[in-house]
Amino acid sequence: MKVRGFFIAKIRRKLNRMAIERLETKARMSRIVKHNGTVYFCGQVCKDATKGITEQTSSMLEKVDELLLQAGSDRKHILSATIYVKDMIYFADMNAVWDAWIPQGYAPARACVAAPMARDVLLVEISIIAAQINS
Amino acid sequence: MKVRGFFIAKIRRKLNRMAIERLETKARMSRIVKHNGTVYFCGQVCKDATKGITEQTSSMLEKVDELLLQAGSDRKHILSATIYVKDMIYFADMNAVWDAWIPQGYAPARACVAAPMARDVLLVEISIIAAQINS
Amino acid sequence: MKVRGFFIAKIRRKLNRMAIERLETKARMSRIVKHNGTVYFCGQVCKDATKGITEQTSSMLEKVDELLLQAGSDRKHILSATIYVKDMIYFADMNAVWDAWIPQGYAPARACVAAPMARDVLLVEISIIAAQINS
């Protein structure tokens, strides 16, 4: 009976997962949107846009860490990342920070293209999709 | 028994959800693709590309409304939006229309970068992922 | 009992699907990440960047075919594609290859914008999300 109860609870959790849960919702966007065990995040940029690409990438990924934690996920559960750099001259330096940040064996799918962002001083932005832990 | 039947029907609906359903399928793309309670939409642009950014954003979002309805979703069930503007000079005007269009408390995750689109006259394009209602 | 066992096996498969499976994982990215019946792929470019847009698109889609097969999916199970071209002057030639590659009736949702890629010689890149077959 215990096994059966556990099994039913697991299914019930799955069914409830289909509801949408939002966190940090403002007029323009939510920073976190959960649905069906998948978490969608709003585009993240650096904390201090006066800094160079290395520092911008570092502080952007710090913000990603904070959001992942808040969403019930973590670096090891990122499914897909789309990275935008202002210019491809920043590609290698961004990658150096990124490669060190990714836990070995847990790298997500990734695409990176060059595109200008909301403010001219922004050099890098990331948009990720992650899985909820124990979803 | 009634409760159990309801429960089984709910699970069955979930299992069937894994099939892919496409709407408005042409040689190049489908405008709507559904899978596992999630709906993927093809990039939407304005109805009249001779107009300015405000009108282009408005008519683009009208098209999104129409597609959401057709897909069994709505503005309140958008999970994630990627917005492309031709140039960041259009960012503020696009946002003004967007912010008013989003129902309070239901904003999706969002990213916005600048990138040229299929035709030079296009100023804004949106790519969204939404949840099916009662999925 | 047989029917019930089949039913339970099907549910169990669904529950297990929530685990993340990665293939071709390196320090920077995984080429394939599976979760909940959905497969995320890393951005794909051509095999030979000295070639023109037609050849680059063809060999890029060959690589997509190979990855789809490896992931337990195929062309008919692509849910969404984001295509980046270096410049919109390549749009028509890219589309000619793409349109012929897509099986009739199975086109995914799609968006295409212009954006520079990792190396200057790259003319086209694609980022896709697909469904697992028999997920």
Side-chain angles (χ1 to χ4, degrees), chain C residues 17-57:
Chain C
R17 255 209 342 257
M18 299 310 288
I20 298 175
E21 192 189 344
R22 294 172 194 81
L23 296 170
E24 308 254 0
T25 301
K26 300 209 171 135
R28 185 163 300 163
M29 64 186 92
S30 295
R31 294 179 77 189
I32 295 166
V33 179
K34 302 186 198 184
H35 176 254
N36 194 14
T38 302
V39 193
Y40 303 84
F41 294 85
C42 80
Q44 291 301 302
V45 296
C46 65
K47 292 179 180 181
D48 180 355
T50 65
K51 298 285 170 61
I53 183 65
T54 299
E55 291 78 8
Q56 286 205 17
T57 308

Side-chain angles (χ1 to χ4, degrees), chain A residues 7 14 17 36-38 76-77 79-80 82 88 91 95 98-99 102 105-110 113-114 131 135, chain C residues 8 11 14-15 18 20 22 25-30 33 35-36 40-43 84 115-118 125 127:
Chain A
F7 192 51
K14 275 192 72 68
R17 258 212 336 259
N36 195 14
T38 302
K76 293 186 175 176
H77 287 75
L79 300 168
S80 170
T82 305
M88 274 299 158
F91 190 60
N95 277 331
W98 169 264
D99 292 357
I102 291 294
Y106 293 90
R110 200 190 88 159
V113 295
S135 59
Chain C
I8 287 178
I11 295 172
K14 275 193 70 71
L15 294 175
M18 299 310 288
I20 298 175
R22 294 172 194 81
T25 301
K26 300 209 171 135
R28 185 163 300 163
M29 64 186 92
S30 295
V33 179
H35 176 254
N36 194 14
Y40 303 84
F41 294 85
C42 80
Y84 305 99
M117 283 146 266
E125 179 165 346
S127 181

Side-chain angles (χ1 to χ4, degrees), chain C residues 77-98:
Chain C
H77 287 74
I78 305 177
L79 299 168
S80 170
T82 306
I83 299 175
Y84 305 99
V85 288
K86 190 181 177 182
D87 189 287
M88 274 299 158
I89 58 170
Y90 302 115
F91 190 61
D93 287 341
M94 178 277 293
N95 277 331
V97 180
W98 168 265

